[in-house]
């Protein structure tokens, strides 16, 4: 099996990260770069990626995500991951949701290829529809009508990855 197929088959979501162990900046940059090469409708590339490595901001985003989820601020929806990549997409592109989802996949598979554990965390839409998220965008100088697609939490796995679930049958047909 080639390396790409091995990565696609072996990537598992991580729900327990080693606290404070941040991946090297060069690896984070390589993961982000892989995200920018995801396909997009008509090559529009309507996606922005925000890399959050600042612990104070990371913890504030975690608390907002927990609030949206209906949990208290002590709950960490990012499972202790020290780095969060936030994917946003410009809603003026007709394919923005699909384009952003493809970026999410590229980010997660690129992280796996570098030995960095990861998981897709939802509720970015609600975060960036709120005043909280809009302030983050304003502070970063991001203008436009962007929707939060998701977060990729990154770090190093604390423990062994789960085994793959059995694959469902009857999911493809040849003609």
């Amino acid at each position: 099996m080639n390396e790409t197929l091995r990565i696609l088959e072996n990537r598992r979501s991580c729900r327990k990260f080693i606290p404070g162990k941040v991946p090297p900046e060069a690896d984070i940059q390589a993961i982000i770069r892989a995200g920018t090469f995801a396909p997009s409708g008509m090559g529009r590339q309507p996606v922005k990626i925000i890399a959050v490595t600042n612990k104070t901001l990371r913890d504030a985003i975690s608390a907002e995500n927990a609030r949206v989820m209906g949990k208290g601020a002590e709950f960490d929806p990012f499972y202790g991951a020290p780095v969060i990549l936030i994917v946003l997409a410009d809603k003026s592109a007709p394919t923005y949701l699909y384009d952003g989802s493809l970026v999410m996949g590229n980010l997660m598979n690129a992280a796996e290829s570098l030995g960095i554990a990861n998981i897709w965390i939802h509720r970015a839409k609600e975060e960036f529809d709120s005043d909280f998220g809009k302030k983050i965008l304003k502070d970063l100088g991001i203008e436009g009508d962007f929707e939060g697609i998701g977060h990729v939490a990154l770090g190093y796995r604390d423990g062994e990855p789960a085994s793959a679930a059995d694959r469902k049958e009857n999911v493809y047909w040849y003609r």
Side-chain angles (χ1 to χ4, degrees):
M1 173 181 311
N2 77 33
E3 184 64 8
T4 300
L5 295 176
R6 187 194 66 73
I7 289 164
L8 294 173
E9 285 190 16
N10 289 317
R11 195 209 71 78
R12 297 285 169 274
S13 293
C14 178
R15 290 180 176 80
K16 187 176 181 188
F17 292 87
I18 297 172
K21 188 171 180 188
V22 179
E25 179 68 23
D27 287 351
I28 295 169
Q29 289 295 324
I31 292 165
I32 293 168
R33 181 168 167 77
T36 69
F37 280 90
S40 64
M42 298 187 72
R44 285 185 189 95
Q45 301 178 41
V47 175
K48 303 260 186 228
I49 303 167
I50 301 171
V52 179
T53 57
N54 174 285
K55 183 169 176 15
T56 301
L57 179 56
R58 178 253 183 249
D59 290 348
I61 293 168
S62 174
E64 178 67 8
N65 194 286
R67 184 196 67 74
V68 170
M69 191 180 198
K71 303 275 189 176
E74 70 287 346
F75 178 77
D76 181 12
F78 301 124
Y79 302 102
V83 177
I84 308 300
L85 302 180
I86 304 166
V87 174
L88 307 161
D90 184 340
K91 293 194 285 188
S92 69
T95 56
Y96 78 93
L97 185 58
Y98 312 108
D99 298 340
S101 296
L102 286 165
V103 168
M104 292 287 294
N106 270 28
L107 294 171
M108 292 185 297
N109 289 316
E112 176 69 22
S113 78
L114 295 171
I116 298 171
N118 58 86
I119 186 170
W120 180 327
I121 302 296
H122 293 280
R123 296 169 295 282
K125 178 186 186 322
E126 295 84 353
E127 282 172 21
F128 287 90
D129 281 347
S130 74
D131 290 340
F132 172 87
K134 289 177 183 173
K135 181 176 182 330
I136 291 172
L137 297 181
K138 182 179 179 192
D139 290 348
L140 291 171
I142 298 174
E143 296 179 1
D145 192 13
F146 285 88
E147 182 171 304
I149 304 301
H151 313 80
V152 177
L154 297 174
Y156 292 99
R157 186 182 305 279
D158 186 355
E160 294 299 315
S163 298
D166 290 337
R167 300 293 93 182
K168 293 181 178 181
E169 293 183 26
N170 300 319
V171 295
Y172 61 88
W173 290 261
Y174 285 100
R175 292 261 179 212

